[in-house]
Structure formats: structure tokens, C-alpha cells
């Protein structure tokens, strides 16, 4: 039976969220409608993440839970990076899986659904030269802050990471496609565009780089804010840094993963920077945009990491005074060089380091948030808050801000910050800013 309803469940990074939205639009264009719950859907797409340990096991157990009490099951599509990594093996490991579709093959999803309804179990993990983006319908719906993937894949081969294998080589979408999509999103109500890519700052089209693209998107009516993530220190060029000082709509926030503060570990990770070259980039950035908020990713317990290496990580955290950060315990990923390195770090040591790192980062996050109390800022309203009458907005520095207001998602408000915790700010309305 041809499915009439679908549910897409996305895990992992923002690029998966974006892909999930595009797959929904693609299925919608086939006449299917989105179901609220997995239990009500004829087709369930699990859009998986492979970045950390037990990712495949988790995906298979999620698949197992799709079997219903009466023994029936929806049509099941395994998508995302686990699908890419497992390929046809996925069908052998779970008889519940009907479709295996990798991140570069989503344009074939409707066709694969049709094949599956005829009893086939199609697998497509190709990385074709033609772009899946060309097959997606125009954007008709947007969030106040909308994601737009501009670049995919990674050529950096950090020794711990599966991304170069699951998402393939670095590919940039063409300039005109991106600008058109940004306009469609603006017409559909987006006020903020978040440009996405595994190495977003490696984006280029002929001789134009990300800074050019940002300047162009800043000219689109309705778009008031621009962000981009995730950047690699090796691709952080002067033009992009300069754009932070020139383009008002470019928000004062940079997510620039460092991973470790120890040069010895950075070398073993095959990162192209040292602690000093990383700090030099941030110094230039702060010169261009003094109020910039900085964020990063950290891995603790990489093979061979000593207490001294870890102290260097704490030191860089103190030097940068991150406004936020994501921290991970090293997880050996099969097929990556680090997985077979000697001197893997015991779990209890990793856990202890993670806790100490998180404590240190939280101290800086809280100090950053508290420094905002009493100041005025503009926030973009995104959605209702937990309490009645409360809405949740975002500051330019990506903090969540709670306010009591009858404003709607997409409104931009002037607020005064009255309180801060390590996770969020509270504000009171000054006045509604002109749209
Ligand atoms: N183990 C732990 N963390 C990892 N990351 C990527 N691969 C691994 C791994 N094998 C983290 C990095 C990266 C973020 C997206 O996930 O910090 O920047
Ligand atoms: Fe993975 Fe390194 Fe590429 Fe980031 S830059 S996706 S951590 S290989």
C-alpha cells in the first residue's frame, strides 16, 4: 500500500535537521502528509547520526521499537550517517528496515518508497555528482531562524572522526542556488538564516568565499540576522573575519572547535592548528568584533592524553573565556586512525576530565551571561516558553532569553536583561522594534 502519512525523526547535528525538513517537503510534494506521532505514520524515516559510540546499536534499537503491538509495522527508511556507514548490512541486521538511504541520495526517496511498496528493499548510499538539492521543491515554510545547508562533507580527516567517510568529500552548493533558497526562506517568514556545513567556512564558488555569500544574503529583504556553523580554524580567512566587523546582520557569535589545548594531541588528531595559531585567529576576530561570543567543541580522553595535555585544554578554556561549548568523551569510531592508536584512555579518567572541563566552561558561561544583566538587546522570538504568557527568544550572542510578551515567533523585540543563569537570560520588554 502506498503510504499516505510520514514521520521523520532526526538525530544529531543541525545538518540532519535541515535534511529532515527537506525530505518532509519532498514527501509532501508527493501528496503525503506529516503525521504527529510515529505510531500514526505509514512511513517512518529515521535520520540517524554516527558521530559517537553505539550510534548503529541505538539506531537498530530505535528501528526495533517501530514494531507495533498488533505485529504490524510502518514502512521503515533508515537515513542519515548510520545508513551511509551500514549500507546493505542494515537490511541483514534488521528485517524491519525497508529502505536504506544515505545523505547524498535523499532526492531518490520518493522513488525508493515506491519500490519498497512493491516489496523491494532498496539501498542507495551513492555519492553522485548531481546534487540532491536540485530535486528538492522550493521552500514554502520557514522558521524564524531557518537552517540552510551550503556545504557538505569534509576533507580534513581528523583522526577521530567518521564524517569524511559518511558525508564524503567537501562540496559547496552553487552561489545562485543558495541565494535563491535564502530568498524563498525570507518570503516564507525567516528572519534569521543559519548557513550550515561540516566545514561551512570552506564554502566557495569559483573565487567567492563565505564572506561574499554573507554580504549578499545581508541584502535580502526580511533577513535581519545571519549565522554560520561549523567552522574549521584552517579555513578561517581574513575576509570572513573582516565581515564580522562590517556586516551588522552577521551576529557576534563564532563556533570554532579547537578540540584540545595540547599541541601534541592536536597533532595526533591531525588538526591543522596549534593552540597558538587558534588563539591568533580569535585575537583577530576580537579586534574585528570586540563583543564576539566564542564557542567550541572539545574532546577529552583522546588516545595518549595525559593530565598535562588536559591541563593545556583547561588553560585554553580560561584564555578564551568561552560563552558556550560542546564537550565530548573520546569515542573510538571503527575505521578511523585513532581507534587503533595505543594508550586508549580508561573510562573513569575520561569521565573525571569531562566533569572538570564542564565545570570550567560553566564558570565562563555563567560569567558571560551575568555580564549581560542590566543591558539592552534585541531578541528574535522563536517559540513559546515553558510558562504561560512566556516566549523564548535569542540574543545576538545565541543565548536563550525568556520574556513575558504576546509577541509572535519572528518578532524582533527590544528587551532589558534582568536575570541570568548559566543556561539562559530573562528579559523585560522595552518596546517592539520596527520590523
Ligand atoms: N569522539 C568524541 N567526539 C567526537 N567528535 C567527533 N568525533 C568524535 C569522536 N570520535 C566531536 C568533535 C566534533 C563534534 C561535532 O563531535 O568535537 O567537533
Ligand atoms: Fe570531523 Fe575534523 Fe572534518 Fe570536523 S573537520 S568533520 S571533526 S574530520
Amino acid at each position: 500500500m502506498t503510504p499516505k502519512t510520514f514521520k521523520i525523526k532526526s538525530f544529531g547535528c543541525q545538518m540532519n535537521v535541515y535534511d529532515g525538513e527537506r525530505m518532509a517537503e519532498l514527501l509532501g510534494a508527493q501528496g503525503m502528509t506529516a503525521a504527529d506521532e510515529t505510531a500514526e505514520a505509514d512511513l517512518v524515516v529515521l535520520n540517524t547520526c554516527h558521530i559517537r559510540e553505539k550510534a548503529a546499536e541505538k539506531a537498530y534499537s530505535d528501528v526495533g521499537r517501530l514494531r507495533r503491538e498488533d505485529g504490524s509495522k510502518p514502512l521503515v527508511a533508515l537515513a542519515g550517517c548510520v545508513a551511509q556507514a551500514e549500507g546493505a548490512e542494515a537490511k541483514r541486521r534488521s528485517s524491519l528496515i525497508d529502505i536504506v538511504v544515505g545523505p547524498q541520495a535523499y532526492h531518490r526517496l520518493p522513488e525508493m518508497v515506491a519500490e519498497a511498496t512493491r516489496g523491494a528493499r532498496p539501498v542507495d548510499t551513492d555519492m553522485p555528482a548531481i546534487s540532491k538539492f536540485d530535486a528538492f521543491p522550493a521552500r514554502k515554510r520557514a522558521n524564524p531562524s531557518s537552517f540552510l545547508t551550503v556545504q557538505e562533507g569534509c576533507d580534513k580527516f581528523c583522526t577521530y572522526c567518521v564524517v569524511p567517510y559518511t558525508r564524503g568529500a567537501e562540496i559547496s552548493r552553487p552561489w545562485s542556488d543558495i541565494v535563491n533558497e535564502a530568498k524563498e526562506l525570507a518570503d516564507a517568514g525567516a528572519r534569521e538564516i543559519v548557513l550550515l556545513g561540516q566545514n561551512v567556512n570552506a564554502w566557495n564558488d569559483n573565487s567567492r568565499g563565505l564572506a561574499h555569500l554573507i554580504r549578499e544574503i545581508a541584502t535580502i529583504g526580511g533577513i535581519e540576522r545571519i549565522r554560520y556553523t561549523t567552522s574549521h580554524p584552517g579555513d578561517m580567512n581574513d575576509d570572513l573575519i573582516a565581515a564580522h566587523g562590517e556586516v551588522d546582520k552577521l551576529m557576534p557569535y563564532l563556533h570554532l572547535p579547537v578540540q584540545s589545548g595540547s599541541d601534541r594531541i592536536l597533532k595526533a588528531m591531525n588538526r591543522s592548528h596549534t593552540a597558538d595559531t587558534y588563539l591568533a585567529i580569535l585575537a583577530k576576530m576580537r579586534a574585528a568584533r570586540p563583543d564576539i561570543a566564542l564557542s567550541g567543541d572539545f574532546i577529552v580522553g583522546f588516545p595518549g592524553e595525559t593530565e598535562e595535555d588536559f591541563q593545556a585544554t583547561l588553560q585554553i578554556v580560561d584564555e578564551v573565556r568561552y560563552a558556550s561549548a560542546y564537550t565530548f568523551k573520546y569515542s573510538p569510531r571503527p575505521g578511523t586512525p585513532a581507534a587503533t592508536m595505543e594508550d586508549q584512555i580508561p573510562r573513569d579518567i575520561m569521565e573525571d576530565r569531562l566533569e572538570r572541563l564542564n565545570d570550567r566552561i560553566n564558570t565562563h558561561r555563567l560569567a558571560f551571561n551575568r555580564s549581560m544583566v542590566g543591558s539592552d538587546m534585541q531578541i528574535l522570538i522563536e517559540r513559546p516558553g515553558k510558562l504561560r504568557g512566556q516566549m523564548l527568544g535569542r540574543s545576538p550572542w545565541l543565548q536563550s532569553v525568556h520574556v513575558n510578551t504576546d509577541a509572535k515567533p519572528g518578532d524582533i523585540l527590544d528587551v532589558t536583561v534582568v536575570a541570568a543563569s548559566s543556561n539562559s537570560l530573562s528579559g523585560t520588554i522595552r518596546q517592539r522594534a520596527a520590523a
Side-chain angles (χ1 to χ4, degrees):
M1 196 188 65
T2 308
K4 294 192 181 61
T5 56
F6 66 86
K7 174 77 182 175
I8 298 177
K9 292 187 77 175
S10 290
F11 304 89
C13 67
Q14 292 155 319
M15 297 186 67
N16 266 9
V17 175
Y18 174 85
D19 283 342
E21 289 170 3
R22 301 307 307 263
M23 282 191 269
E25 290 161 346
L26 192 59
L27 296 172
Q30 306 291 311
M32 296 175 62
T33 52
D36 290 335
E37 301 294 335
T38 310
E40 296 157 5
D42 302 331
L43 166 68
V44 175
V45 181
L46 293 180
N47 190 12
T48 57
C49 170
H50 201 239
I51 199 95
R52 271 170 293 277
E53 212 169 0
K54 303 216 164 65
E57 285 67 22
K58 180 182 176 302
Y60 288 113
S61 87
D62 289 344
V63 167
R65 277 199 296 278
L66 296 176
R67 195 191 295 283
R68 290 165 185 169
E69 274 175 18
D70 61 2
S72 67
K73 70 173 225 29
L75 211 57
V76 177
L78 187 72
C81 294
V82 173
Q84 186 68 37
E86 295 278 290
E89 176 67 16
K91 292 197 294 186
R92 284 188 282 277
R93 283 186 63 175
S94 171
S95 61
L96 299 176
I97 296 172
D98 302 291
I99 296 168
V100 181
V101 59
Q104 304 310 328
Y106 293 151
H107 52 293
R108 291 205 50 239
L109 188 57
E111 194 183 325
M112 294 173 86
V113 170
E115 286 169 31
T117 52
R118 293 194 296 269
R121 296 176 77 201
V123 176
D124 192 341
T125 52
D126 283 354
M127 297 192 182
I130 67 131
S131 161
K132 64 181 176 185
F133 297 101
D134 296 341
F136 290 138
R139 311 300 308 257
K140 294 201 186 68
R141 285 210 266 156
N143 297 317
S145 172
S146 285
F147 293 148
L148 201 177
T149 294
V150 302
Q151 182 279 335
E152 283 194 286
C154 182
D155 297 338
K156 308 289 190 288
F157 291 94
C158 300
T159 52
Y160 50 80
C161 187
V162 284
V163 166
Y165 312 96
T166 55
R167 290 271 174 167
E170 286 178 8
I171 294 177
S172 294
R173 289 180 70 191
W175 167 278
S176 54
D177 289 12
I178 297 166
V179 174
N180 283 342
E181 189 172 330
K183 286 180 181 159
E184 288 168 4
L185 288 167
D187 289 345
R191 308 297 307 277
E192 175 174 286
I193 299 279
V194 186
L195 303 172
L196 298 181
Q198 255 99 28
N199 278 293
V200 71
N201 58 340
W203 180 88
N204 69 89
D205 184 352
N206 292 310
S207 56
R208 292 181 288 198
L210 189 67
H212 275 76
L213 188 64
I214 288 168
R215 291 190 182 99
E216 179 70 19
I217 291 175
T219 66
I220 298 174
I223 300 300
E224 299 299 333
R225 294 178 163 202
I226 303 169
R227 303 179 187 277
Y228 60 94
T229 196
T230 287
S231 297
H232 191 285
D235 293 313
M236 207 67 222
N237 61 48
D238 287 346
D239 196 22
L240 186 54
I241 294 173
H244 276 272
E246 293 160 14
V247 182
D248 288 343
K249 293 182 182 178
L250 184 56
M251 291 293 103
Y253 181 93
L254 175 68
H255 180 68
L256 194 66
V258 65
Q259 312 297 358
S260 168
S262 155
D263 289 346
R264 207 176 65 79
I265 295 296
L266 288 170
K267 191 153 187 280
M269 286 176 163
N270 193 33
R271 299 288 292 180
S272 58
H273 57 88
T274 62
D276 280 349
T277 57
Y278 176 85
L279 289 170
I281 296 168
L282 297 189
K284 277 197 209 170
M285 192 53 108
R286 280 187 161 135
R289 181 79 208 218
D291 68 340
I292 194 138
L294 296 163
S295 154
D297 290 343
F298 292 89
I299 297 176
V300 297
F302 185 83
E305 186 188 68
T306 61
E307 176 62 25
E308 197 185 341
D309 293 319
F310 176 66
Q311 287 298 331
T313 296
L314 292 179
Q315 197 183 328
I316 206 166
V317 167
D318 286 343
E319 257 171 75
V320 175
R321 288 171 280 113
Y322 287 95
S324 80
Y326 300 88
T327 57
F328 308 99
K329 279 182 285 193
Y330 169 70
S331 146
R333 312 304 297 124
T336 60
T340 51
M341 284 180 186
E342 281 172 18
D343 204 5
Q344 301 278 329
I345 305 298
R347 181 161 288 273
D348 54 337
I349 295 188
M350 280 209 247
E351 278 164 7
D352 173 64
R353 288 181 188 164
L354 186 71
E355 207 180 303
R356 285 190 284 155
L357 178 60
N358 285 340
D359 282 351
R360 194 68 66 97
I361 287 166
N362 269 335
T363 309
H364 293 294
R365 196 201 317 254
L366 183 60
F368 180 74
N369 287 348
R370 282 193 176 146
S371 73
M372 302 272 158
V373 174
S375 70
D376 297 336
M377 61 171 69
Q378 289 201 327
I379 64 167
L380 171 61
I381 298 293
E382 290 193 349
R383 58 172 191 275
K386 283 207 183 97
L387 305 176
R388 240 178 107 88
Q390 191 186 61
M391 297 296 283
L392 198 69
R394 290 267 183 197
S395 79
W397 304 275
L398 208 62
Q399 296 140 306
S400 295
V401 187
H402 302 277
V403 281
N404 286 321
T405 173
D406 57 4
K408 301 277 173 296
D411 289 346
I412 292 177
L413 309 180
D414 280 324
V415 302
T416 302
V417 177
V418 294
S421 71
S422 62
N423 291 326
S424 65
L425 307 177
S426 303
T428 53
I429 303 289
R430 291 170 58 230
Q431 62 177 82
R432 196 161 301 190

